[in-house]
Amino acid sequence: QVQLVESGGGQVQAGDSLRLSCAASGRTVNSDYMGWFRQAPGKEREFVGGIHFDTYYPESVKGRFSIYRDNTKNTVYLQMNSLKREDSGVYYCAASPTVRRWDSPREYDYWGQGTQVTVSS
């Protein structure tokens, strides 16, 4: 079993930066596919990036968001720059030993509880 705990959310202004953390426990996730998703009220969960041995981002965040790992801490980070109001939502990290599609929430076995990000203009 893997437990994931997100942290680092908060309320920021448009244009600000924020770094979210996803700390894993139970076993190492250094070889897992790690995904970041967000969900706004009334909307479906949306993929915002992932990391395995490479990284993958959707067009909506490419160039603004970056994901990296610290294997010594069993932690994955989501660095978000140039935040926009539409980036607001609950951000979740997810893990799976393998995925067929990065952007499908159903591919991931383990999820954190989420952390709220609110961007105001």
Side-chain angles (χ1 to χ4, degrees), residues 19-20 36 51 55 57 66-70 75-79:
R19 189 185 77 165
L20 306 183
W36 282 97
I51 186 168
T55 52
Y57 306 97
S66 62
I67 298 173
Y68 59 99
R69 298 179 187 263
D70 184 338
T75 298
V76 175
Y77 300 93
L78 175 64
Q79 176 68 43

Side-chain angles (χ1 to χ4, degrees), residues 8 20 24 28 38 40 43-44 51 58 70 76 81 83 85-86 91 93 95 102-103 106-107 111 117-118:
L20 306 183
T28 179
R38 68 186 176 201
K43 295 190 176 181
E44 292 186 355
I51 186 168
D70 184 338
V76 175
N81 299 326
L83 283 163
R85 283 191 66 181
E86 52 263 42
Y91 281 70
C93 70
W102 282 101
D103 60 349
R106 290 179 289 185
E107 294 288 324
W111 290 84
V117 172
T118 303

Side-chain angles (χ1 to χ4, degrees), residues 11-26:
Q11 184 164 354
V12 296
Q13 297 288 318
D16 285 351
S17 298
L18 204 58
R19 189 185 77 165
L20 306 183
S21 301
C22 173
S25 61

Side-chain angles (χ1 to χ4, degrees), residues 3-109:
Q3 294 79 43
L4 302 173
V5 178
E6 303 95 335
S7 61
Q11 184 164 354
V12 296
Q13 297 288 318
D16 285 351
S17 298
L18 204 58
R19 189 185 77 165
L20 306 183
S21 301
C22 173
S25 61
R27 65 165 175 79
T28 179
V29 294
N30 295 344
S31 297
D32 280 39
Y33 288 81
M34 302 295 294
W36 282 97
F37 292 78
R38 68 186 176 201
Q39 190 165 21
K43 295 190 176 181
E44 292 186 355
R45 197 161 292 192
E46 176 189 15
F47 175 73
V48 297
I51 186 168
H52 186 224
F53 296 114
D54 52 2
T55 52
Y56 178 66
Y57 306 97
E59 287 299 322
S60 58
V61 305
K62 195 174 290 185
R64 299 190 299 122
F65 289 13
S66 62
I67 298 173
Y68 59 99
R69 298 179 187 263
D70 184 338
N71 289 338
T72 65
K73 297 181 178 179
N74 211 26
T75 298
V76 175
Y77 300 93
L78 175 64
Q79 176 68 43
M80 304 185 293
N81 299 326
S82 302
L83 283 163
K84 306 175 182 180
R85 283 191 66 181
E86 52 263 42
D87 294 321
S88 296
V90 179
Y91 281 70
Y92 301 89
C93 70
S96 182
T98 183
V99 299
R100 291 167 295 180
R101 283 185 55 179
W102 282 101
D103 60 349
S104 174
R106 290 179 289 185
E107 294 288 324
Y108 293 84
D109 298 325

